[in-house]
Amino acid sequence: MNSRSFEKYKIENVYRFLELKNFALQYPQWVAAASELPSISSPALDGLPHGTDISDPTGNTASLRLRNFSKIRIVESAATLCHGDPYMQKLVLKGVTTEGCTFAWLYSHGYAHCDKMTYYMARRRFYWHLDRLVE
């Protein structure tokens, strides 16, 4: 693979890259938060006043769920766009959402079954697509 193919997917600003990297690293937290949120239901109507500072618990829960799922969808969409192979999509998603994860770590733990250049090119494409999906 030549250097021109790497240049096409380059993010010029190092601070923008760090922002995207940290955005992707929050993916496991969003998945955990989305699974822990209760399903949307209405409060019990028993006729008694309830002293809470939450004006609309159902609306707040729905808003949190929507926010988490939309961020999850953005990261997964970038992973889908980075490579046509579903195996590589899962590999890149694992690599970019795990703190300190390198190709050597993925390879030694049995996740990576491709060469290093293919993985890093797919990862670069992931961040390039993520840059276009995140506003």
Side-chain angles (χ1 to χ4, degrees):
M1 198 167 298
N2 60 21
S3 63
R4 286 185 186 169
S5 58
F6 270 102
E7 288 297 318
K8 179 181 176 186
Y9 298 105
K10 185 174 182 179
I11 297 174
E12 296 295 328
N13 189 341
V14 68
Y15 299 110
R16 177 62 176 165
F17 172 75
L18 291 174
E19 179 184 355
L20 295 169
K21 180 180 177 182
N22 288 314
F23 182 83
L25 286 173
Q26 295 176 53
Y27 176 83
Q29 296 168 355
W30 298 327
V31 171
S35 66
E36 290 174 1
L37 281 174
S39 60
I40 298 173
S41 63
S42 63
L45 300 174
D46 55 5
L48 298 174
H50 297 277
T52 65
D53 58 350
I54 301 173
S55 61
D56 185 11
T58 305
N60 291 340
T61 302
S63 176
L64 283 172
R65 288 176 71 86
L66 181 64
R67 196 172 325 132
N68 284 335
F69 283 122
S70 66
K71 290 176 182 179
I72 290 168
R73 200 172 311 118
I74 288 171
V75 173
E76 289 176 351
S77 296
T80 303
L81 293 169
C82 77
H83 203 278
D85 183 17
Y87 163 76
M88 283 299 294
Q89 294 168 5
K90 290 178 186 176
L91 180 65
V92 169
L93 188 62
K94 175 74 174 170
V96 298
T97 61
T98 305
E99 180 72 37
C101 189
T102 62
F103 178 78
W105 185 88
L106 289 168
Y107 189 78
S108 67
H109 285 80
Y111 291 106
H113 301 292
C114 63
D115 63 303
K116 189 175 187 178
M117 189 66 82
T118 303
Y119 169 74
Y120 281 115
M121 186 63 190
R123 192 180 85 153
R124 183 176 277 232
R125 276 192 229 123
F126 168 84
Y127 286 120
W128 188 78
H129 287 294
L130 187 64
D131 185 32
R132 271 111 189 106
L133 293 172
V134 174
E135 295 179 22

